[in-house]
């Protein structure tokens, strides 16, 4: 297709008309930080994984097996999550997954806190991992194996490492031990503020170019954008007024003189 200078100018005016109408909007976080997950009214924000052998069970008071598992939850009055080892095979896993969180911002950190209970003569392993959603790469943040006695511990922290640069989710994995006496449990999960993106506050006014480029930056490539009021310099091309009042300023590409294919960049601020 052959583009004339006029067609390039017209295209530029149509695009910048959108910028004249409204300011850029900040993206919405994938999730806001949920309240502490105590499992007293269900799984909360967590879901059972389909990439495992078993499901986590939600329970109040003692597990069905003697001399293994908790007798009550971390607070002493509600529910907890556990892996029932009776009738299972050694090495089978149960995974419970959090929602997906937006990538941790540079200079910030994300930690979660939780309580755990690992009591029984054949207790296996409890892992807390983070999984990047783009690659399914899993990084173990915290891991413990073996009998820790008949008590709750916590809350302990697990922190997302700086090597995790994309969107991610947390996974609690219980691994069955060598016999039925290997129930593992966790409770009272709290997500730190760094795990949840707070949206940037956009300016309350549109970028209308009445007093300059505003928050935009005019980055010259082969040519530059021009702020103008009234008709452009060329006849029968470009606007005769701005989009808002017809009497204000707008941004356009003056194509008299440039070569076909020349580019100009107008760059907004960075949004995360």
């Amino acid at each position: 297709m052959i583009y004339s200078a006029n067609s390039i100018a017209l295209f530029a005016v149509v695009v910048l008309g959108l910028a004249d109408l409204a300011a850029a909007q900040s993206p919405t976080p994938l999730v806001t930080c949920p309240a502490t997950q105590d499992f007293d009214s269900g799984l909360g924000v967590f879901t059972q994984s389909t990439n495992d052998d078993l499901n986590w069970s939600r329970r109040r008071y003692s597990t069905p097996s003697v001399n293994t598992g908790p007798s009550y939850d971390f607070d002493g009055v509600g529910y907890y999550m556990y892996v029932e080892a009776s009738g299972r095979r050694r090495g089978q896993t149960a995974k419970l997954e959090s929602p997906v969180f937006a990538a941790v911002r540079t200079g910030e950190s994300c930690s979660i806190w939780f309580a755990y209970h690992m009591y029984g003569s054949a207790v296996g392993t409890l892992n807390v991992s983070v999984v990047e959603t783009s690659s399914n790469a899993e990084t173990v943040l915290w891991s413990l194996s073996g009998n820790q006695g008949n008590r709750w511990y916590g809350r302990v922290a697990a922190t997302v490492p700086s090597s995790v640069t994309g969107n991610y989710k947390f996974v609690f994995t219980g691994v069955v031990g060598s016999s039925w006496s290997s129930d593992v449990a966790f409770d009272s999960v709290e997500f730190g503020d760094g795990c949840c993106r707070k949206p940037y506050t956009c300016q309350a006014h549109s970028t209308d170019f009445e007093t300059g480029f505003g928050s935009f930056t005019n980055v010259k490539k082969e040519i530059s954008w021009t702020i103008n009021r009234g008709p452009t310099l060329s006849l029968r091309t470009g606007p005769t007024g701005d989009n808002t009042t017809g009497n204000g300023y707008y941004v356009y590409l003056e194509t008299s003189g440039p070569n076909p294919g020349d580019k100009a960049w107008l760059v907004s601020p960075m949004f995360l």
Side-chain angles (χ1 to χ4, degrees), residues 43-168:
L43 297 184
V45 299
F46 284 89
T47 57
Q48 302 279 5
S49 173
T50 58
N51 186 31
D52 56 6
D53 308 302
L54 313 167
N55 279 341
W56 284 87
S57 298
R58 176 175 165 266
R59 191 166 182 88
R60 190 176 188 182
Y61 305 127
S62 300
T63 65
S65 306
V66 297
N67 298 322
T68 186
S71 300
Y72 43 80
D73 79 336
F74 179 62
D75 298 319
V77 294
Y79 288 78
Y80 58 88
M81 301 301 298
Y82 87 107
V83 175
E84 175 55 59
S86 299
R88 315 299 189 183
R89 298 190 307 275
R90 181 175 186 172
Q92 286 188 307
T93 61
K95 298 183 178 184
L96 203 66
E97 300 179 348
S98 78
V100 174
F101 290 86
V104 180
R105 286 183 179 143
T106 301
E108 298 184 3
S109 64
C110 167
S111 296
I112 59 169
W113 289 264
F114 61 96
Y116 67 91
H117 191 290
M118 300 174 68
Y119 170 53
S121 60
V123 165
T125 301
L126 176 63
N127 292 329
V128 180
S129 304
V130 63
V131 175
E132 288 194 78
T133 56
S134 61
S135 63
N136 284 325
E138 183 171 2
T139 302
V140 176
L141 308 179
W142 182 94
S143 182
L144 189 64
S145 299
N147 183 11
Q148 306 299 314
N150 188 14
R151 55 161 290 188
W152 281 99
Y153 293 86
R155 291 185 292 178
V156 297
T159 301
V160 178
S162 58
S163 57
V164 176
T165 58
N167 296 347
Y168 61 92

Side-chain angles (χ1 to χ4, degrees), residues 31-37 39 43-46 97-101 109-114 155 158 168-172 188-196:
V31 292
T32 56
C33 270
T36 299
Q37 302 296 293
F39 307 109
L43 297 184
V45 299
F46 284 89
E97 300 179 348
S98 78
V100 174
F101 290 86
S109 64
C110 167
S111 296
I112 59 169
W113 289 264
F114 61 96
R155 291 185 292 178
Y168 61 92
K169 59 186 174 182
F170 294 100
V171 181
F172 283 80
S188 191
V189 181
E190 180 181 353
F191 301 94
D193 288 341
C195 303
C196 309

Side-chain angles (χ1 to χ4, degrees), residues 7 11 116 185 190 201:
S7 65
F11 176 76
Y116 67 91
E190 180 181 353
T201 301

